[in-house]
Amino acid sequence: MSNREVVVLSVGGVRFVTRASTLQQFPESRLARMLNDDGWEFKLVNGEFFVDRDGTLFSYIMDFLRTLQVSLPTDFSDYQRLQREAEFYGLYPLADLLSQEHLLKPRLEILEVRFSLQEMQAFFRIFGSCSTTVETLAEQITVFTGQQSGRSWNSPFPSQKPLVPLPLERPSHHDMVFQCGTDYSAGDQLVARYVSIKPDNRKLINGTNVLGLLLDTLLKDGFRLISTRTVSSEEKVECYSFERMKSPAGLTVTVNQTPGSSGVAQAKRSHVQKGK
């Protein structure tokens, strides 16, 4: 039976098809011993192993065996039941990871956009509870500067002089500051700042247009607008608050086969922390 390449299991009425090598990731587990006819809990019926356990939870067991990683849906809540199933199958490294429920649960992520419109300039400040999100957004936003003639911030794109990219201001890992629009310089020259937000290729100078593109970008990234308020009516500062459920970094088990040992898998936990 151990030489069977493809194994079919019926767990609580749910059918699973996998490779024998997948079930043998942890040789001391009940699933691995099952292939050697060493498991009274499993009955072979018409070429399929029948298991009287929860089939829905077993799908997470199979995902772990295939990837050696615990990745659960954001709305998952049966941590204790899944841990009990892992213990039943003898997958103690998985049960150990599931005991760290606080690392597996999704976290609420908050992001705030402050927007101020003053004469021909618009000012933006973005604050996020997750530094990784802010860093990713900073890589999407580019501010370009250049000079143009005229006295309107809606002047056409200045093709006569190349635009120079400017670095965003980063007061901390959790926020960024930038602006767009025009400001007077010597004579009739205007210093213009344009904003581009990937994947959109446009270079926008109008603050309202930039705000609209920024909010649309956040909504497409899974954020939900939860409130809009005026922070300062005198300075015309508006605040847009967003939230989303952020999936945690995956918990991974590294399996090392030690030469000369009995073939027992040695599991090592590793957790990659994303964000600060």
Side-chain angles (χ1 to χ4, degrees):
M1 191 69 68
S2 61
N3 294 326
R4 181 193 294 263
E5 181 179 358
V6 177
V7 181
V8 181
L9 303 96
S10 177
V11 184
V14 183
R15 194 168 183 264
F16 296 88
V17 180
T18 185
R19 292 180 178 273
S21 57
T22 300
L23 300 178
Q24 294 169 333
Q25 288 278 17
F26 298 90
E28 295 301 309
S29 70
R30 283 182 175 177
L31 290 170
R33 299 202 312 268
M34 172 189 72
L35 300 182
N36 296 319
D37 295 323
D38 182 16
W40 59 267
E41 302 92 345
F42 308 100
K43 303 299 182 182
L44 188 60
V45 181
N46 297 327
E48 299 183 6
F49 287 99
F50 174 74
V51 187
D52 190 17
R53 304 293 294 191
D54 191 305
T56 301
L57 292 178
F58 189 73
S59 65
Y60 301 116
I61 300 285
M62 285 303 307
D63 182 66
F64 170 75
L65 290 174
R66 288 167 175 153
T67 65
L68 297 180
Q69 187 176 65
V70 183
S71 300
L72 300 173
T74 55
D75 59 348
F76 186 82
S77 58
D78 290 333
Y79 293 95
Q80 292 183 352
R81 289 184 59 210
L82 183 55
Q83 182 179 351
R84 187 167 64 245
E85 292 299 294
E87 291 172 348
F88 168 80
Y89 291 110
L91 297 172
Y92 298 107
L94 173 58
D96 187 29
L97 294 183
L98 289 169
S99 68
Q100 304 178 71
E101 185 177 333
H102 64 288
L103 296 178
L104 293 168
K105 284 186 175 181
R107 295 176 297 168
L108 182 63
E109 182 179 356
I110 303 296
L111 191 139
E112 182 180 276
V113 177
R114 293 200 174 196
F115 170 70
S116 175
L117 192 61
Q118 300 177 14
E119 296 183 353
M120 294 188 297
Q121 297 185 78
F123 300 87
F124 295 83
R125 182 160 192 164
I126 301 175
F127 173 84
S129 60
C130 177
S131 63
T132 304
T133 298
V134 177
E135 186 67 34
T136 301
L137 191 58
E139 293 175 356
Q140 293 178 257
I141 299 175
T142 306
V143 178
F144 299 89
T145 184
Q147 289 188 343
Q148 66 179 82
S149 300
R151 294 183 176 276
S152 171
W153 77 338
N154 290 314
S155 298
F157 183 83
S159 59
Q160 70 274 18
K161 292 184 179 180
L163 296 178
V164 178
L166 292 176
L168 298 179
E169 294 182 44
R170 296 295 306 276
S172 73
H173 292 293
H174 290 272
D175 60 348
M176 73 179 81
V177 178
F178 63 93
Q179 66 186 84
C180 66
T182 57
D183 193 12
Y184 293 112
S185 63
D188 62 348
Q189 295 294 312
L190 294 175
V191 176
R193 285 187 176 87
Y194 298 78
V195 173
S196 177
I197 304 178
K198 297 176 182 178
D200 195 293
N201 294 322
R202 292 174 298 170
K203 294 180 175 63
L204 304 175
I205 194 172
N206 184 288
T208 302
N209 294 339
V210 173
L211 176 64
L213 178 58
L214 176 59
L215 300 186
D216 185 60
T217 300
L218 294 174
L219 293 173
K220 289 180 179 179
D221 197 33
F223 281 96
R224 181 172 68 94
L225 181 64
I226 57 175
S227 69
T228 302
R229 69 183 191 276
T230 300
V231 179
S232 173
S233 56
E234 295 181 357
E235 298 179 0
K236 299 180 180 179
V237 179
E238 299 176 355
C239 179
Y240 300 82
S241 298
F242 294 83
E243 70 176 18
R244 72 173 175 183
M245 294 304 294
K246 181 177 177 63
S247 299
L251 288 175
T252 304
V253 168
T254 303
V255 179
N256 299 316
Q257 295 291 346
T258 304
S261 69
S262 61
V264 177
Q266 296 179 343
K268 179 182 179 182
R269 293 176 300 172
S270 62
H271 177 247
V272 181
Q273 179 70 38
K274 296 182 179 180
K276 296 183 179 179

